[in-house]
Amino acid sequence: MTDQLLYAQLLYGGSGIILVLLGLWSFLVHAPLLRKLIAINVMGAGVFLILVAIAYRGIDTAPDPIPHALVLTGIVVAVSATALALAFGKRLDQDADPE
Amino acid sequence: MIDALPLSVTLPLLGALAVTVSPAHARGLGLLTAVLTTASGLAVTSAVWSDGVLRADLGGWGAPLGIALEADGLSAAFLAMANAVALAISVYAGGYFKQETALHFWPLWLLLWSALNGLFLATDLFNLYVTLELLGLSAAALGARTGTREAVAANLRYLLVGLLGSMSYLLGVALVYAAYGVLDIGLVAEAIEPGPVAWTAMTLMFGGLILKVALFPMHFWLPPAHANAPAPVSAALSALVCKAAFYLVLRLWLDVFAPVLNEAAANLLGVLGAAAVVWGSWRALRAERLKLLAAYSTVAQVGYLFIAFPLLVATPPGLARDNLLAAVVLLALTHGFAKAGFFLAAGMVQKTAGHDRIDDLGGAAQALPAATFAIGLAGVSLIGLPPSGTFLAKWMMLEQAMILGHWWWLVVMMIGTLLAAAYIFRVLSRAFNREPAPYRFVNDARTELPALLLGMIATFGFGIAAQPLWVLLEQGAFG
């Protein structure tokens, strides 16, 4: 049972770390705003996945609620930040072609 | 008195709501909220001063589950500075913005203020993340208020960099929770022990925060974002938002990662700080615009704060270390007042002259004597001439560097000080390049007096009466 728990945590946590690294790489390499935003969101998803993996305590046990609360709050923050960045980007696009 | 703690976070939030509901009275409601918030913030500080550490468990839920607010000497000192500066910025903004633009300014500004007070008072790592993120979002939105292409582009970059910083910080928080199962600063501090996990968490969290403090070489986003924002916002960004991130670095360093730290990490921060001092001062000297100069000067001043870290680590606990710590806080607080005063006065110059090119500032001293005086006073603090708080702080840092035999920090600080003197005198020499003509000293009391007062406090207030800071920091910070 503990082996299963460890494997599950490693699988999800490891995927989370990979997502974070992919997002970070993409954020640094790509210039367009939309790509940077998606990259940041992928990074965010990675961090949330790690938090969810931390919360997992086996099939029979209820998961730890605190990381779940953190993920929920984190998603709200990520959505607001994405919306603000998109609004900025829209403003820049409008300025670019003054029709 | 315990009620003042939640009040200083909720009052600005309520004010932001009230301003949104009743836009016609934005300015009046905003100013009223500003006064009330400052009063509650100062009440917290005075309570910490007399009674020691304050703590409020919201809704009766204590750590590790609930959200608690706590103020010790370090929080109280930063809180007092932030609220005093924010009040001055609010008064200035009341005169600076026209009615229709004021509408967009006040809700965001009050939200930023609430996040700031929350950050200084939060006790667990995740609440710090939330307040940090709120601070970043409202700061980026405020910075783009002028609506020019440069401002929007600069603040979009600021927002993205800020997000990257917060993600890194959050990952560190996740690691800490995975390893120790707690988030409360006090509980983490008890549980933490040196090892790969603590190391990685510290690197991630400090890395994210350094992006937000704009320590060299992560400072690239700061000058355009701060220089293109409206004057009251530039003042808030440089004086308060950067200080909030620095406060967090200091808080984590002292309270959480103290056992994990080693000399190598501190030296790395110190070297980056030294590079920031030299590079920031040099770019400030070469800047063509007044606000850009002020922004680069912020990069340099942040550098001084980080030079203190290797000194702090090398100094054994005791009176010398306490003094050094207080000197760092004094430096941060003085810079808050001075830089806010400088930006507010620069904004006044820009508004009156229609530009802020340093070479064309001729006659500013005649047209705006009070604003020029404020720039001069703030300049005295930025250079570190006596009797400013910066002088005292730098003196103590220099003394400690000499005692430790780390003479290279001394060289860096000397170079920085000389360059600072050069860029301030460059501004003043341009401003005073005409024959003196009789003129009114204050043209627009509402916008010029706050700048003047901030400059006065930075130069005279801290230099002559720095002792209270030591008393305040004895409440918890000198552990």
Side-chain angles (χ1 to χ4, degrees), chain B residues 272-286:
Chain B
L272 292 181
V277 168
V278 175
W279 178 244
S281 304
W282 175 248
R283 288 301 302 264
L285 184 62
R286 307 277 304 157

Side-chain angles (χ1 to χ4, degrees), chain B residues 129-456:
Chain B
Y129 162 75
V130 173
T131 48
L132 198 64
E133 199 65 290
L134 270 177
L135 196 64
L137 290 181
S138 46
L142 271 177
R145 266 299 305 130
T146 49
T148 60
R149 199 176 162 73
E150 295 80 41
V152 174
N155 281 285
L156 178 57
R157 183 154 64 159
Y158 171 41
L159 178 69
L160 288 174
V161 169
L163 276 177
L164 191 65
S166 330
M167 275 305 158
S168 171
Y169 176 86
L170 184 62
L171 193 57
V173 173
L175 275 180
V176 167
Y177 188 80
Y180 307 110
V182 281
L183 288 169
D184 186 81
I185 288 183
L187 297 177
V188 174
E190 282 169 23
I192 204 160
E193 48 197 41
V197 178
W199 254 102
T200 321
M202 184 178 83
T203 313
L204 283 168
M205 288 165 90
F206 275 12
L209 288 173
I210 279 171
L211 262 177
K212 286 185 172 268
V213 193
L215 178 62
F216 181 91
M218 316 290 194
H219 69 284
F220 56 89
W221 55 267
L222 184 143
H226 286 193
N228 288 311
V233 178
S234 307
L237 292 178
S238 261
L240 304 179
V241 177
C242 281
K243 288 301 160 324
F246 176 72
Y247 160 82
L248 208 46
V249 172
L250 202 60
R251 162 73 63 199
L252 292 177
W253 181 281
L254 292 173
D255 285 359
V256 179
F257 292 119
V260 190
L261 279 175
N262 60 13
E263 223 161 297
N267 278 333
L268 178 65
L269 288 180
V271 168
L272 292 181
V277 168
V278 175
W279 178 244
S281 304
W282 175 248
R283 288 301 302 264
L285 184 62
R286 307 277 304 157
E288 286 177 356
R289 290 175 44 213
L290 193 53
K291 285 174 79 181
L292 202 58
L293 178 146
Y296 272 113
S297 143
T298 299
V299 173
Q301 302 281 332
V302 162
Y304 287 115
L305 299 176
F306 280 92
I307 289 183
F309 283 112
L311 299 178
L312 269 174
V313 168
T315 313
L319 188 62
R321 192 170 184 280
D322 290 354
N323 278 339
L324 191 59
L325 187 61
V328 181
V329 176
L330 180 63
L331 193 60
L333 299 188
T334 314
H335 178 251
F337 281 102
K339 190 47 65 67
F342 195 100
F343 260 122
L344 293 185
M348 196 59 211
V349 170
Q350 186 183 32
K351 205 175 182 189
T352 312
H355 67 84
D356 64 342
R357 290 187 298 279
I358 294 169
D359 286 339
D360 302 334
L361 279 184
Q366 283 80 36
L368 294 166
T372 315
F373 187 43
I375 289 183
L377 275 179
V380 165
S381 287
L382 293 178
I383 301 169
L385 296 175
S388 67
T390 321
F391 169 73
L392 212 63
K394 275 190 191 169
W395 185 262
M396 297 176 102
M397 282 169 68
L398 286 177
E399 194 187 8
Q400 193 56 33
M402 280 193 279
I403 291 174
L404 292 170
H406 293 181
W407 53 270
W408 48 91
W409 303 126
L410 208 119
V411 175
V412 170
M413 288 169 79
M414 290 298 185
I415 294 175
T417 305
L418 278 178
L419 284 171
Y423 65 70
I424 294 295
F425 285 135
R426 177 167 166 249
V427 172
L428 292 180
S429 73
R430 301 294 191 280
F432 280 101
N433 70 354
R434 293 242 187 98
E435 288 294 307
Y439 222 91
R440 284 201 302 165
F441 181 62
V442 175
N443 294 298
D444 183 358
R446 204 166 188 181
T447 49
E448 284 182 83
L449 284 185
L452 202 55
L453 278 177
L454 288 173
M456 293 262 204

